Amino acid sequence: MSRFGARAALALPIVLLLAAGCGATGNGSGDTGSAGGTSSTAVSGPGKNATLAAMVPADVAKDGKLTIGTDTTYAPNEFVDDSNKTVGMDIDLGDAIAQELGLTADFQAASFDGILAGLSAGKFELAMSSFSVNADRLQTVDMVSYFTAGTSMAVLKGNPAGLTLDSLCGHTVAVQKGTTQSDDLATRSATCTQGGKGPITISEFQAQTDVALALTSKRADAMLADSPVVDYAVKQTNGQLEKVGSSYANAPYGIGVAKNKGDFAKAVQGAVQALIDDGTYKKILDKWGVGAGAVAKSELNPATSS
């Protein structure tokens, strides 16, 4: 889900890979501009489902586009590749969902912590950016589940500080602003201080690319992110990072839909389920190496304990 600043000394593979992948501008604003295009290798769905398309509100369907807010810094779920195309699991799924609804996906990039507010304000028609479903988000938007992910921790190769999730007190941990991981770290830090230990220094960034960079440049001792994102970062850094322990707090991802939009959320849920049933969904997840998070059933506003 900041932008790259001065990095003259950081001649590391992750910098080259992630800078190429995320179109960094160097201004620190978190405004990522237009997502601009999709991968030429996207997995195509079966096309328009007339029943579902009829459930799309007229104000959404009238221009033939489905405007989707996304944070293009969260590889492999959504990011900009080295040909300046917006790609990833969510992008391919969003394209296929739009096809089911008789529309064309129009991805608009935004900072992660502003997407749901933009959805509620009418800036976007859907929000699809690896949002974990939780009670707070369900108060403001409807959510259609489509994937399951947990939180994972990464450190530098060899884990020089010998860290575990239970020994982060007094250390600096990088995380993306507005994520469930940021909330988790705040809770863990409070536990540290209540137990007489030093707090966790939570280093927040607007872009996940800068979270990974903080770790590889040794400005953080660890980072927390969604499990598929950490797995991807470990692979892309050619041995510079390693994952510590297993993922935890597994929860569904949800596509955000503004409330009071008639049957729109049901149409989106139906589109996701159709893609699951016809095998398109599996092809997309397998393409991005994230099949472990597949679900068999899409739900509207699934129950959550958090």
Side-chain angles (χ1 to χ4, degrees):
M1 7 195 177
S2 69
R3 285 290 177 267
F4 296 158
R7 304 189 173 95
L10 303 181
L12 296 172
I14 190 171
V15 177
L16 298 176
L17 286 163
L18 295 181
C22 298
T25 62
N27 63 14
S29 69
D31 180 5
T32 52
S34 174
T38 56
S39 171
S40 60
T41 58
V43 177
S44 295
K48 180 178 178 179
N49 181 311
T51 300
L52 296 175
M55 298 166 66
V56 177
D59 62 332
V60 175
K62 64 182 180 180
D63 63 355
K65 296 180 180 179
L66 185 60
T67 304
I68 304 174
T70 192
D71 169 21
T72 56
T73 73
Y74 216 57
N77 297 353
E78 46 268 326
F79 64 107
V80 179
D81 69 10
D82 55 8
S83 63
N84 204 33
K85 290 185 179 295
T86 303
V87 297
M89 173 193 71
D90 278 351
I91 306 307
D92 283 353
L93 281 173
D95 280 333
I97 290 167
Q99 289 174 35
E100 288 278 343
L101 301 179
L103 303 170
T104 300
D106 178 20
F107 290 94
Q108 295 293 318
S111 59
F112 180 82
D113 59 346
I115 295 173
L116 293 182
L119 175 68
S120 296
K123 183 177 180 180
F124 311 118
E125 291 162 340
L126 291 182
M128 195 166 182
S129 197
S130 307
F131 286 103
S132 297
V133 178
N134 61 40
D136 287 341
R137 288 169 179 161
L138 289 175
Q139 289 181 11
T140 60
V141 299
D142 290 329
M143 303 197 86
V144 174
S145 65
Y146 67 100
F147 189 78
T148 298
T151 291
S152 292
M153 184 171 84
V155 297
L156 291 174
K157 185 69 174 179
N159 196 3
L163 294 178
T164 68
L165 281 166
D166 296 323
S167 64
L168 295 177
C169 302
H171 291 276
T172 298
V173 183
V175 69
Q176 188 178 27
K177 186 177 180 180
T179 60
T180 56
Q181 288 83 20
S182 180
D183 295 339
D184 181 30
L185 283 175
T187 300
R188 290 177 182 274
S189 184
T191 300
C192 291
T193 55
Q194 290 167 7
K197 299 179 180 179
I200 299 170
T201 299
I202 304 170
S203 187
E204 292 188 311
F205 297 88
Q206 286 284 3
Q208 177 61 33
T209 45
D210 283 353
V211 174
L213 184 64
L215 179 55
T216 58
S217 62
K218 300 181 181 180
R219 289 181 285 122
D221 303 311
M223 75 173 190
L224 293 186
D226 287 357
S227 47
V229 174
V230 169
D231 290 344
Y232 186 82
V234 169
K235 292 177 182 177
Q236 293 299 303
T237 54
N238 298 320
Q240 293 182 74
L241 302 181
E242 68 178 55
K243 183 177 174 180
V244 175
S246 301
S247 64
Y248 64 96
N250 291 320
Y253 279 175
I255 301 166
V257 186
K259 291 185 178 293
N260 302 315
K261 295 293 287 185
D263 288 332
F264 190 30
K266 292 180 180 178
V268 174
Q269 184 274 331
V272 175
Q273 190 62 53
L275 295 170
I276 292 171
D277 293 343
D278 71 20
T280 302
Y281 172 81
K282 183 179 186 302
K283 290 178 182 177
I284 291 171
L285 267 56
D286 288 347
K287 170 186 171 181
W288 293 103
V290 295
V295 297
K297 182 180 179 181
S298 173
E299 297 180 283
L300 174 59
N301 296 331
T304 175
S305 58
S306 59

